[in-house]
Amino acid sequence: MRINLKTQLSIPITFLSITLAWVLFRAETLNSALHFYKTLFNFNTLNFLDIKDTQNLWIVFAMLIVWILPTTEQWIKKREITFTYGLIIGCIALSAIVQITNIQEFIYFQF
């Protein structure tokens, strides 16, 4: 399998760009956004792999799931959709819908 470097670099660069751009949309003020960026890129106090902080391990685990596992489209193309798969996907979708409890107002109402 041939690895295309352009594609492999474009995915994380796009992800990082979008993630950093969201800070500007979610911050209350420009100063708070700049403070967040300064804190985010302050590598002097970096302690990401603190074993006491299990939240960091969950973030790493979630990132591995997102980046390594196949997408839904890739997964469906490899399998024949049967009643069992449909039931499993339906249960996962129902579980996700039930878990939605924190409703936030639309982001553009802040402007």
Side-chain angles (χ1 to χ4, degrees), residues 49-55:
L49 294 178
D50 186 5
I51 296 180
K52 297 176 188 173
D53 189 7
T54 58
Q55 183 178 10

Side-chain angles (χ1 to χ4, degrees), residues 10-26:
S10 66
I11 294 170
I13 289 171
T14 303
F15 177 78
L16 183 63
S17 301
I18 298 298
T19 304
L20 292 176
W22 268 102
V23 172
L24 295 173
F25 284 102
R26 297 299 296 170

Side-chain angles (χ1 to χ4, degrees), residues 47-78:
N47 196 6
F48 185 72
L49 294 178
D50 186 5
I51 296 180
K52 297 176 188 173
D53 189 7
T54 58
Q55 183 178 10
N56 290 335
L57 296 175
W58 281 112
I59 291 171
V60 169
F61 179 70
M63 289 174 65
L64 288 173
I65 289 173
V66 169
W67 291 103
I68 293 175
L69 293 179
T71 64
T72 306
E73 181 181 1
Q74 293 167 341
W75 185 73
I76 289 174
K77 283 182 180 178
K78 290 182 180 179

Side-chain angles (χ1 to χ4, degrees), residues 1-9:
M1 178 163 76
R2 187 170 177 245
I3 296 176
N4 186 350
L5 186 61
K6 181 179 176 183
T7 302
Q8 295 303 320
L9 288 177

